[in-house]
Amino acid sequence: MSNYRPPYIEYSGYLINGQIGHWQGNYAEVTSQIVLNSEGKGTLIGKVPDMDSDHALLALDAAQRAYGRGQGKWPTMKVKDRIECVERFVSLMTNHRNQVVELLMWEIGKNKSDAAKEFDRTVQYIYDTIEAYKKLDRRSARFDKESNINAHIRRGPLGVVLCLGPYNYPLNETFCLLIPALIMGNTAIFKPAKLGVLLITPLLDAFQTAFPEGVVNILFGRGRNIAAPVMKTGKVDILALIGHSSSAVALQDLHPNKNRLRLVLGLEANNPAIILPDADLDHTVKECISGTLSYNGQRCTALKVLYVHSSIVGKFIEMFSRAVDDLKYGLPWEDGVFLTPLPEKNKPEYIQGLINEAISKGANIMNKNGGKMSGNFCYPAVLFPVDKSMKLFNEEQFGPVIPIVAFDNINEPLDDMANSEYGQQVSLFGKDTSKLGPLIDILANLVCRVNLNSSCQRGPDVYPFTGRKNSAVSTLSVFDALRSFSIRTFVASKDNDYNNDILRNLLNSHHSNFISTEYLL
Ligand code: G3H
């Protein structure tokens, strides 16, 4: 099935307090769902430590010591010095591009071009974060004066961050949390997602070399052994998680000091597309293909349901189904492959269950190849008509099955969105501005990004990425992430000669890293 040799990494390391330890306990096997044998079994590609709660608590101690209750070297360091550490890290990280891209293909089945994009986008995000922090610092290198009070206002860190990323973007989304958290002066404990674990292992040395001891601590293992005991101590200041809201709620519930805990969460979405009668169908089909099926639909921003006006639903389904059937299926490294095997062992069974249930309630598979399965290959199924009685309507499928709902009255999709627990993004397809205008005004209040004649997506990363209701807490973007991982804090003094002399002396003496009007260019 493949002439591409699988990797095999038996990794025993973990990073606590600046030391890469050698794990002595149990190990967890890492199995790729890319099948190379005739029995249809996944491929063993490595082992990682299955660490315990004692080590999780050691990592917490290390992160706490490095933060030093705000008195540590890292949170009080000059911005320039923290930036240097991140610069060192990103330059070391780039040496591992090929290996990380290969592991993204094997561990999570991402096709080669998307895997390379994930790596490059992450590196760019880190460089952009450095520039955004310099800009923020330049803006803070000044005093304000209001009502006879001089104020020097900056953004300061919050403390210890527990950072947990998702399996679908195990590098990008995790580092888009971790790097802004660190650069702002927080310290972190980071556990890779359930899939996409080996690809972090080549980077431990880079973390160790670039950051002072205890600033970043990396553990491998299960959430219940690592995240849960750390949260129970009440010593985590920020929970940074991209994943499912049930995990986010369970972890918050363990924290005894709820008001201490800041949340930076990216959760489920169930983004819809609304296709109006005058939409350009060629263009709409193209956008809906990438919206629904990039990375097999396993994106939080993916289009999870298509609402199509009944006057065009027949034509749309015909064109869309043909386009779906034309998509190239294969192994992640093969040229031009769009669809790949699903990385979760039981996902095809789940997808099959959704399809069967929808069919039993009156839906049909509309495309020729729809629902064909072979091992973890799962050909996308276009289902119509889908209604509220079906699981496929109510659950975020996060995979290659596309429900289509016909509507006559625009209030039908609008009411569904208003009633939904989610509110991340929508795609709106149409042309008539007298119809689009009022719709945009409503949709902007139901979600946080209205994509006009475009699929939903997170990027470009400088734009705000967030959601309403159960879809997110806090906003991420290159700049907003710096805000999410910090708090405004300032030094104030009454405007008189006595205080102003002291401020001048502080500025001239460079005794404070906080009170400084030096610019970072
Ligand atoms: O899984 C959610 C990701 O943030 C989606 O990012 O829209 O760039 O694929 P993307």
Side-chain angles (χ1 to χ4, degrees):
M1 198 170 176
S2 160
N3 53 11
Y4 206 89
R5 219 164 130 243
Y8 188 78
I9 298 175
E10 220 165 276
Y11 192 73
S12 66
Y14 59 87
L15 179 62
I16 295 183
N17 203 31
Q19 301 299 317
I20 296 194
H22 172 74
W23 180 242
Q24 310 277 0
N26 295 335
Y27 278 75
E29 291 187 340
V30 180
T31 304
S32 166
Q33 292 311 316
I34 294 173
V35 174
L36 301 175
N37 47 53
S38 47
E39 308 99 80
K41 282 203 185 124
T43 308
L44 183 66
I45 56 170
K47 286 184 184 167
V48 286
D50 185 7
M51 295 178 74
D52 56 25
S53 57
D54 289 348
H55 284 78
L57 296 176
L58 285 177
L60 175 64
D61 279 349
Q64 273 207 297
R65 263 198 312 280
Y67 191 67
R69 295 171 299 173
Q71 302 162 67
K73 197 170 136 210
W74 184 250
T76 54
M77 201 179 247
K78 274 194 166 82
V79 167
K80 171 174 112 1
D81 296 333
R82 279 204 299 268
I83 285 179
E84 269 171 28
C85 294
V86 175
E87 281 171 342
R88 202 172 314 135
F89 172 74
V90 69
S91 92
L92 292 169
M93 171 181 169
T94 49
N95 298 333
H96 301 281
R97 183 180 187 274
N98 291 348
Q99 193 181 8
V100 173
V101 169
E102 187 195 26
L103 288 166
L104 275 165
M105 292 191 281
W106 279 96
E107 285 193 271
I108 63 159
K110 195 163 270 195
N111 71 36
K112 193 173 185 173
S113 72
D114 283 350
K117 230 187 276 165
E118 176 161 353
F119 190 93
D120 298 339
R121 176 181 179 183
T122 308
V123 167
Q124 189 56 47
Y125 191 97
I126 299 175
Y127 282 121
D128 290 348
T129 297
I130 292 169
E131 284 312 310
Y133 193 24
K134 285 184 182 169
K135 197 163 161 188
L136 177 68
D137 194 61
R138 280 200 290 276
R139 284 202 210 128
S140 316
R142 58 187 275 267
F143 279 79
D144 283 333
K145 193 196 285 188
E146 196 61 57
S147 307
N148 221 32
I149 307 274
N150 286 313
H152 192 104
I153 308 170
R154 289 184 178 275
R155 297 201 71 90
L158 287 147
V160 173
V161 183
L162 175 62
C163 180
L164 305 166
Y167 83 79
N168 63 337
Y169 279 90
L171 184 79
N172 181 261
E173 297 245 329
T174 316
F175 283 27
C176 291
L177 298 174
L178 189 60
I179 298 298
L182 294 175
I183 211 168
M184 292 309 291
N186 303 287
T187 61
I189 304 158
F190 153 47
K191 184 192 91 62
K194 61 177 176 177
L195 304 170
V197 182
L198 289 174
L199 62 94
I200 299 296
T201 63
L203 304 177
L204 258 70
D205 284 340
F207 276 112
Q208 185 197 28
T209 309
F211 292 98
E213 62 182 36
V215 168
V216 51
N217 302 277
I218 304 177
L219 305 171
F220 298 94
R222 281 171 228 178
R224 77 175 95 107
N225 295 333
I226 294 185
V230 164
M231 287 298 283
K232 273 188 202 157
T233 64
K235 291 173 180 168
V236 171
D237 300 283
I238 307 181
L239 173 63
L241 177 149
I242 309 270
H244 203 271
S245 54
S246 56
S247 324
V249 168
L251 286 170
Q252 285 169 64
D253 282 349
L254 295 174
H255 200 291
N257 308 321
K258 300 265 184 297
N259 296 332
R260 171 178 180 163
L261 184 68
R262 178 176 289 196
L263 301 173
V264 180
L265 309 175
L267 308 167
E268 310 93 273
N270 249 357
N271 292 336
I274 300 176
I275 303 169
L276 301 176
D278 64 343
D280 172 332
L281 286 191
D282 285 321
H283 177 78
T284 304
V285 164
K286 215 165 117 224
E287 288 295 315
C288 286
I289 289 287
S290 75
T292 53
L293 290 174
S294 294
Y295 189 41
N296 312 294
Q298 301 165 118
R299 294 157 57 236
C300 64
T301 48
L303 290 173
K304 306 279 172 29
V305 54
L306 308 181
Y307 287 93
V308 189
H309 193 269
S310 25
S311 61
I312 51 161
V313 72
K315 181 77 189 148
F316 175 81
I317 288 175
E318 185 196 319
M319 291 170 69
F320 185 70
S321 300
R322 209 179 314 126
V324 172
D325 283 334
D326 283 347
L327 294 172
K328 186 169 172 193
Y329 218 106
L331 293 169
W333 45 85
E334 289 169 1
D335 279 346
V337 156
F338 188 75
L339 303 164
T340 50
L342 305 181
E344 292 175 286
K345 191 163 185 290
N346 299 324
K347 196 62 179 271
E349 204 183 309
Y350 169 72
I351 297 287
Q352 187 69 65
L354 289 179
I355 295 174
N356 292 348
E357 197 248 12
I359 289 175
S360 76
K361 291 182 171 164
N364 300 297
I365 297 182
M366 306 304 291
N367 57 321
K368 217 168 49 235
N369 299 328
K372 287 185 184 160
M373 309 225 175
S374 156
N376 266 49
F377 280 110
C378 203
Y379 209 92
V382 179
L383 275 125
F384 178 78
V386 168
D387 64 43
K388 292 192 181 82
S389 70
M390 301 171 189
K391 270 195 194 160
L392 187 51
F393 181 90
N394 297 296
E395 287 180 21
E396 187 186 24
Q397 69 275 38
F398 218 80
V401 51
I402 306 138
I404 297 186
V405 179
F407 71 92
D408 290 309
N409 185 330
I410 191 63
N411 288 329
E412 296 165 39
L414 292 183
D415 284 342
D416 287 349
M417 287 176 69
N419 290 331
S420 161
E421 266 315 301
Y422 307 110
Q424 191 200 63
Q425 301 189 18
V426 65
S427 288
L428 177 62
F429 294 93
K431 196 166 164 220
D432 179 350
T433 50
S434 71
K435 299 273 183 327
L436 291 174
L439 258 180
I440 289 172
D441 295 350
I442 294 171
L443 289 169
N445 291 344
L446 298 180
V447 294
C448 288
R449 175 166 165 164
V450 179
N451 298 279
L452 188 56
N453 291 311
S454 319
S455 63
C456 297
Q457 61 179 47
R458 173 177 175 152
D461 288 325
V462 291
Y463 288 154
F465 177 55
T466 186
R468 296 169 186 270
K469 299 188 263 186
N470 246 338
S471 284
V473 179
S474 300
T475 300
L476 296 171
S477 75
V478 170
F479 174 67
D480 288 304
L482 298 177
R483 298 188 49 175
S484 297
F485 286 103
S486 62
I487 190 161
R488 297 230 291 171
T489 177
F490 66 109
V491 177
S493 60
K494 291 210 171 112
D495 184 34
N496 56 40
D497 289 345
Y498 179 72
N499 285 337
N500 293 353
D501 269 351
I502 294 175
L503 286 179
R504 250 187 305 274
N505 287 338
L506 275 167
L507 285 169
N508 293 335
S509 67
H510 303 287
H511 282 137
S512 166
N513 291 335
F514 190 102
I515 298 195
S516 160
T517 48
E518 272 177 21
Y519 274 78
L520 276 181
L521 294 171

